[in-house]
Amino acid sequence: MSEREICGDFEIYFENDWWIVKKISDEKIIGRFLNKDDALSKIASVLQSDENREETESVC
Amino acid sequence: MTKSDEVFFFKFRDTDFLLDSFSQMFWFLEKNYTISEDSSENISSIISFENLIKEYNNIYHQGIKNRIRYLQKFNFFVKKKQEPHLNNNKSALIDCIVINPSTTCNSDCWYCYVNHLRKNNSRELSTDQIKGLIEKVVEANIKLGCDKQICFSYGYTSEITLNFDQFLEVNTFIENIQKEKNIQISFFPSSTNLLQPTADFIDFMNSYGYLTVSLDYENLIKNKKVVKNLELLDDSVVKHCYIPINSETKDYYSIYVECLKHFDLSSLRPVRIPKDAKYPWTQDNLNLVEKELSKLILTLLELAEKNLLEFLESLGSSDYFGRYLEKILTREKHLTRCPAGRTAVAIDWNGNYYPCSGLIGIEDFKLGSIQESNLENISRKSVQENVDKIETCSKCGIKYYCGGPCLDWQVKEGGNALKDVNSIECKMNHIYFRVTAYFVYKTIENYPGLLKKFLEKKKKRFRLNYALNWENFVSFFT
């Protein structure tokens, strides 16, 4: 296993020929990738996702 | 980097920040990247990084620029296509109605938005008219298969305790409709000044469990009466005080502390007032707001972890600092400022519809009336545009935090609410964003888990779950 690299709540490491992307807070593996760039792209995509980010209908 | 206009720069105290406006991610820059003291004096707003480079190009900025270019490979700082479900819908069904049956009040607050309409007004909306309106709204929502909760609120242009019999009668009517139609309807009382609470009002609040008192902080005589009247309420009632702040308001932290001696929650909020108001906002006195807000956060940053968490948890739902704090932590995207005119309307004592209570009486904003039109087909001419479609807003770094101009505030400033967007309100929002972002960065540095805990207690998602340190973030992706 390679040394873990951490960015906030996300970490990646190399294990058994796969780059693993893990969310630290809930220990959830969110992807396994053949190359590091794809693993980083996954984290970038999760961070930038619009999912559930829509406005709440707050009043003034 | 020219392919993107999503890179913004801002500065507060000794710290420089970068902001990706689309993803609403921000980073603090190491001291190495801080521009010189001389050149940074003029930067008191949120500016595009491209403009910063034009003016203050040096080796440090070139370094940042190269890193931004690199991160763009991962789509950071790149404008993306908006997901369809985030698009504004002008034909959305109206399911939130503010009913303002009268203008009757026992006070004369300097910040009241209906004072000028109150004079010589004797019109009132009858209980039967209100019931008829509620029936129509409920039927329309059922007919169109809307399964969302319908919300009514009552009495924003008057003092609710003076007309509380009507509130109770409408409340019973709504309870019956709920049972009969098996749908979810909420009915909210407005805030009160609590100067003359009736026994019925106190009884209702004791069972309702949540009271908001609107307080003119400077009027100490009235406030003593308010504090005394608070004693009439059960301890179990959550007591929230709302304090409009103006250009003369000083020492925000002391105000919060004083309020929390009597209330569970407090909200301080810059008030929307016209230029000829008692304490008008001007370009010059906005500096004082930044100074006072800075004083507040510097005081907060000195608090022990437990005390800071308690303070943050005591911020009420209308608190402007609290709202920016949540917006920054959740990275929630606000494509419009509020539901006014889109899914929410206010109705005045004459039966006229307006986008919000603050716009009542302005002919340009009149959407129709209960006598002339059904709620489904009232005019939507003044519905707020999606913030991306407003030219000035589309180039603003904090557009998704703010959601665009507040129609009411723009009108009070004398501008055209739907066109002119470069106002005092914008500058106020920029101040609140910059100061709050700095507070967030420092708090995460001092007490790493505190803000996540604060947000999760509110059942909201913490989205600053990445390295806020620019260098660390870039290193991770290289």
Side-chain angles (χ1 to χ4, degrees):
Chain A
M1 190 170 75
S2 73
E3 196 178 322
R4 288 164 193 266
E5 291 173 54
I6 293 175
C7 177
D9 196 21
F10 299 92
E11 70 174 345
I12 58 169
Y13 53 89
F14 192 66
E15 190 178 65
N16 300 329
D17 295 334
W18 292 93
W19 282 95
I20 315 288
V21 176
K22 194 172 174 183
K23 203 154 171 276
I24 300 168
S25 56
D26 51 14
E27 292 281 306
K28 197 175 160 189
I29 289 173
I30 54 176
R32 292 167 200 272
F33 303 88
L34 285 172
N35 63 64
K36 190 178 177 184
D37 258 12
D38 288 345
L40 292 171
S41 293
K42 176 66 184 176
I43 294 175
S45 137
V46 171
L47 280 172
Q48 296 172 82
S49 168
D50 271 350
E51 199 188 337
N52 299 322
R53 271 178 63 207
E54 66 265 39
E55 62 174 319
T56 46
E57 290 277 287
S58 60
V59 290
C60 63
Chain B
M1 202 169 72
T2 48
K3 72 171 182 172
S4 169
D5 54 6
E6 303 298 312
V7 194
F8 287 84
F9 173 90
F10 63 97
K11 182 174 184 69
F12 185 72
R13 288 173 65 80
D14 57 353
T15 309
D16 296 354
F17 296 88
L18 279 181
L19 168 69
D20 175 348
S21 67
F22 198 85
S23 70
Q24 295 169 269
M25 294 170 72
F26 75 97
W27 299 266
F28 68 89
L29 302 176
E30 297 278 13
K31 286 244 173 191
N32 287 355
Y33 292 97
T34 313
I35 53 180
S36 73
E37 278 304 311
D38 290 346
S39 58
S40 64
E41 274 177 9
N42 296 325
I43 300 171
S44 59
S45 192
I46 299 155
I47 59 173
S48 81
F49 192 72
E50 205 59 39
N51 285 343
L52 182 82
I53 289 265
K54 276 182 203 157
E55 204 166 341
Y56 303 107
N57 199 0
N58 61 33
I59 189 168
Y60 301 121
H61 295 104
Q62 287 305 323
I64 299 171
K65 191 173 173 176
N66 291 339
R67 285 162 171 79
I68 290 169
R69 271 209 194 107
Y70 180 79
L71 286 178
Q72 283 179 330
K73 288 181 192 165
F74 292 97
N75 279 327
F76 293 106
F77 303 106
V78 176
K79 189 175 175 68
K80 292 122 196 142
K81 204 179 160 197
Q82 202 75 256
E83 288 184 19
H85 71 280
L86 292 180
N87 286 330
N88 190 18
N89 183 1
K90 279 199 174 192
S91 60
L93 191 61
I94 288 167
D95 56 16
C96 182
I97 294 98
V98 182
I99 304 165
N100 297 301
S102 84
T103 55
T104 314
C105 191
N106 51 358
S107 193
D108 186 24
C109 302
W110 58 269
Y111 50 83
C112 179
Y113 48 75
V114 285
N115 257 348
H116 63 292
L117 298 169
R118 181 167 294 133
K119 285 164 189 133
N120 307 320
N121 176 48
S122 57
R123 290 293 302 268
E124 293 203 355
L125 212 54
S126 74
T127 309
D128 282 344
Q129 282 177 302
I130 296 172
K131 287 178 180 175
L133 167 77
I134 290 168
E135 273 176 336
K136 275 187 188 174
V137 174
V138 170
E139 288 305 328
N141 275 268
I142 291 174
K143 198 169 128 193
L144 293 168
C146 180
D147 54 2
K148 271 173 70 186
Q149 188 177 61
I150 308 168
C151 299
F152 294 96
S153 45
Y154 178 95
Y156 281 79
T157 56
S158 58
E159 169 48 40
I160 190 168
T161 54
L162 303 180
N163 212 12
F164 204 64
D165 288 350
Q166 188 180 56
F167 175 88
L168 289 176
E169 203 177 325
V170 174
N171 191 46
T172 307
F173 179 74
I174 285 178
E175 281 173 357
N176 290 337
I177 285 196
Q178 275 206 94
K179 283 181 206 151
E180 195 186 309
K181 311 274 183 189
N182 196 24
I183 50 167
Q184 285 294 311
I185 312 176
S186 297
F187 188 43
F188 301 107
S190 67
S191 61
T192 170
N193 58 31
L194 208 65
L195 295 175
Q196 292 174 281
T198 59
D200 280 350
F201 179 79
I202 297 293
D203 283 349
F204 177 85
M205 285 300 162
N206 280 337
S207 100
Y208 186 71
Y210 191 98
L211 170 81
T212 299
V213 178
S214 177
L215 209 59
D216 182 357
Y217 190 72
E218 288 168 10
N219 196 334
L220 291 172
I221 298 165
K222 275 187 200 168
N223 292 349
K224 279 179 192 160
K225 216 169 181 180
V226 170
V227 169
K228 195 162 172 45
N229 286 336
L230 278 174
E231 291 168 8
L232 300 168
L233 290 145
D234 291 347
D235 287 346
S236 60
V237 177
V238 176
K239 298 164 193 85
H240 170 213
C241 81
Y242 168 86
I243 297 180
I245 55 175
N246 60 58
S247 53
E248 303 275 311
T249 309
K250 300 222 164 34
D251 208 352
Y252 299 168
Y253 184 69
S254 301
I255 298 175
Y256 282 115
V257 170
E258 187 57 32
C259 287
L260 291 173
K261 287 179 186 166
H262 313 288
F263 293 88
D264 304 297
L265 303 168
S266 56
S267 293
L268 266 65
R269 189 194 163 100
V271 65
R272 306 189 294 258
I273 39 169
K275 286 174 181 172
D276 58 355
K278 190 175 173 188
Y279 306 107
W281 299 110
T282 65
Q283 303 290 344
D284 291 338
N285 64 33
L286 280 177
N287 293 332
L288 297 174
V289 174
E290 176 157 347
K291 198 177 142 199
E292 290 302 325
L293 196 58
S294 307
K295 262 168 60 186
L296 168 71
I297 62 123
L298 293 178
T299 306
L300 296 181
L301 289 170
E302 284 177 7
L303 294 179
E305 186 169 8
K306 182 175 168 282
N307 296 345
L308 178 57
L309 184 59
E310 273 175 13
F311 176 86
L312 296 179
E313 286 174 351
S314 75
L315 295 175
S317 54
S318 304
D319 188 81
Y320 220 57
F321 166 66
R323 285 203 171 185
Y324 265 90
L325 180 62
E326 280 192 24
K327 286 171 179 185
I328 289 170
L329 300 177
T330 59
R331 293 199 282 130
E332 266 183 6
K333 216 165 209 163
H334 295 254
L335 293 186
T336 52
R337 179 57 173 268
C338 73
R342 188 161 38 98
T343 58
V345 292
I347 182 162
D348 75 358
W349 44 96
N350 291 311
N352 296 320
Y353 296 115
Y354 292 90
C356 90
S357 299
L359 295 166
I360 284 176
I362 303 172
E363 196 58 33
D364 282 353
F365 285 95
K366 187 174 155 186
L367 306 175
S369 74
I370 51 173
Q371 294 86 4
E372 297 160 3
S373 39
N374 286 328
L375 208 51
E376 304 99 290
N377 52 27
I378 60 168
S379 161
R380 300 293 182 92
K381 62 185 176 185
S382 57
V383 171
Q384 300 166 74
E385 285 287 0
N386 181 314
V387 70
D388 284 315
K389 290 183 183 164
I390 301 170
E391 199 186 341
T392 317
C393 291
S394 68
K395 294 168 193 157
C396 172
I398 61 162
K399 60 186 169 184
Y400 297 134
Y401 293 94
C402 145
C406 164
L407 300 181
D408 182 27
W409 204 335
Q410 296 287 311
V411 168
K412 286 189 167 64
E413 277 188 45
N416 180 330
L418 301 173
K419 286 179 185 162
D420 307 333
V421 187
N422 189 13
S423 58
I424 281 178
E425 192 216 349
C426 286
K427 291 186 173 104
M428 183 81 77
N429 285 325
H430 279 225
I431 290 170
Y432 268 83
F433 175 82
R434 283 169 48 243
V435 177
T436 313
Y438 178 84
F439 170 78
V440 166
Y441 145 59
K442 282 289 185 189
T443 303
I444 288 176
E445 194 174 70
N446 294 346
Y447 306 123
L450 184 142
L451 292 175
K452 187 168 187 273
K453 192 172 162 188
F454 160 70
L455 208 59
E456 286 176 350
K457 271 192 174 177
K458 290 175 164 257
K459 302 197 185 318
K460 297 207 165 185
R461 193 165 145 195
F462 180 81
R463 286 195 179 84
L464 294 187
N465 51 351
Y466 56 91
L468 285 185
N469 178 310
W470 170 249
E471 276 301 300
N472 292 350
F473 189 84
V474 174
S475 302
F476 182 78
F477 281 92
T478 45

